[in-house]
Amino acid sequence: MHKAGLLGLCARAWNSVRMASSGMTRRDPLANKVALVTASTDGIGFAIARRLAQDGAHVVVSSRKQQNVDQAVATLQGEGLSVTGTVCHVGKAEDRERLVATGFSPYNVSKTALLGLTKTLAIELAPRNIRVNCLAPGLIKTSFSRMLWMDKEKEESMKETLRIRRLGEPEDCAGIVSFLCSEDASYITGETVVVGGGTPSRL
């Protein structure tokens, strides 16, 4: 095969993968699915909640504060999305029980333990045709990470540590989660996807 033909074939294949992972090839890839997302009124969780709902899932938004739940739900419902919400403060037993009743199990785990939990749950839930995957975000521009990029000097310093010379946006995480929830990822379970801009440190 000529080099030009091979490049064209690769370009078409990559375009198909890109469109599939972004949900462009079919409508509502997450229809008939329910997703529980811990989210406030902005940041990674909120972007994920919006993307999953846009892709057809019914999303249950969880936060420690009722006002955050109300605002997130109102914003997303105002966009015509199927979203409800529940308060969960992990220090309160009744909140944890309510969250479990909504469809989520262990909640307050450390980030490192979550990696092992992902592997364990993937094994335990596979016979029920339930897949479990994990997202490990790097430096994403949210209010939580503001201290790391709040001034230009700090931001430029952080960019120097990344192979992709920019900080992540919440939407960079949302598309990956939507893909993992879709049928396109039906053969993926027990995995942790790092969205870190090529940071040298790994899990």
Side-chain angles (χ1 to χ4, degrees):
M1 182 180 289
H2 294 296
K3 184 176 181 181
L6 182 60
L7 289 175
L9 180 63
C10 290
R12 287 193 297 274
W14 167 246
N15 190 50
S16 297
V17 171
R18 181 184 62 80
M19 291 177 67
S21 64
S22 65
M24 292 169 63
T25 55
R26 68 168 177 249
R27 195 173 175 181
D28 297 337
L30 301 183
N32 302 316
K33 295 187 183 295
V34 177
L36 176 65
V37 179
T38 302
S40 59
T41 54
D42 61 6
I44 298 172
F46 185 78
I48 289 172
R50 172 180 276 144
R51 175 61 183 267
L52 295 180
Q54 288 173 340
D55 284 351
H58 173 75
V59 175
V60 181
V61 173
S62 168
S63 180
R64 291 187 303 114
K65 298 179 180 179
Q66 184 68 55
Q67 64 186 37
N68 288 347
V69 172
D70 293 343
Q71 186 175 342
V73 169
T75 299
L76 297 174
Q77 286 183 347
E79 297 175 9
L81 301 174
S82 177
V83 179
T84 55
T86 184
V87 172
C88 182
H89 190 299
V90 296
K92 297 180 180 178
E94 61 272 22
D95 282 5
R96 295 195 302 271
E97 290 170 6
R98 186 187 310 114
L99 191 66
V100 169
T102 310
F104 192 59
S105 52
Y107 178 81
N108 188 26
V109 293
S110 72
K111 299 302 182 185
T112 302
L114 187 57
L115 307 182
L117 181 64
T118 298
K119 296 287 188 185
T120 301
L121 288 179
I123 293 170
E124 292 182 358
L125 297 176
R128 297 166 61 182
N129 200 31
I130 297 174
R131 296 182 297 106
V132 182
N133 293 293
C134 180
L135 179 82
L139 182 54
I140 308 296
K141 291 187 78 170
T142 66
S143 55
F144 179 77
S145 64
R146 186 182 303 275
M147 61 178 290
L148 298 175
W149 54 267
M150 59 191 302
D151 63 61
K152 195 67 178 175
E153 185 178 345
K154 284 185 177 180
E155 182 174 351
E156 291 304 316
S157 175
M158 294 306 301
K159 287 179 181 178
E160 288 299 314
T161 68
L162 305 174
R163 294 187 178 95
I164 297 177
R165 296 290 195 230
R166 69 173 179 86
L167 303 187
E169 299 289 342
E171 290 74 20
D172 291 321
C173 299
I176 298 298
V177 174
S178 181
F179 164 71
L180 289 173
C181 292
S182 73
E183 291 304 312
D184 290 324
S186 62
Y187 202 55
I188 300 174
T189 192
E191 301 297 337
T192 296
V193 178
V194 179
V195 183
T199 179
S201 61
R202 307 304 292 172
L203 298 173

